[in-house]
Amino acid sequence: KFHQAKITHSDSVTVWGTGSARRELMFSEDLADACLFLLDHTTGNDGFYNVGTGTDISIKELSYVIKQIVGYEGDIIFDPSKPDGMPQKLVDDSRL
């Protein structure tokens, strides 16, 4: 959305929700490394493991980070009439 808004010179980008929901993000290669580690160091009968980063970011904070990286200069409008989704999605990766 931010890239498209930049190239079309849009005045604003609308983000669903209030921006207060929090999400944990992970680089796909880090997940792949964790999977390989588990394949090498577990028997397969050890149960389930959560793989995560242990940190999260609000959608609002993430929106401003993306805006800055893309170089978009317009406004961000949060639309509270749309759902925020779950308040927080952060896994407990302490077992790993």
Side-chain angles (χ1 to χ4, degrees):
K1 281 182 142 182
F2 287 95
H3 174 69
Q4 187 67 32
K6 179 181 177 181
I7 63 175
T8 61
H9 306 286
S10 276
D11 292 334
S12 63
V13 168
T14 301
V15 177
W16 278 24
T18 63
S20 63
R22 302 184 67 80
R23 297 294 180 260
E24 180 176 22
L25 305 172
M26 176 184 285
F27 183 53
S28 60
E29 288 183 19
D30 292 340
L31 176 58
D33 288 342
C35 291
L36 292 174
F37 174 84
L38 287 168
L39 287 170
D40 288 341
H41 294 90
T42 61
T43 65
N45 296 321
D46 299 332
F48 295 99
Y49 288 87
N50 288 326
V51 178
T53 62
T55 60
D56 59 4
I57 186 171
S58 74
I59 299 298
K60 183 175 280 188
E61 291 172 285
L62 181 60
S63 298
Y64 284 103
V65 168
I66 294 169
K67 175 183 174 176
Q68 180 182 12
I69 289 170
V70 170
Y72 175 65
E73 296 182 5
D75 296 324
I76 300 175
I77 298 171
F78 293 92
D79 183 355
S81 73
K82 303 293 186 196
D84 272 331
M86 289 197 52
Q88 184 178 36
K89 292 185 179 181
L90 178 66
V91 301
D92 176 5
D93 62 355
S94 59
R95 184 165 183 238
L96 181 62

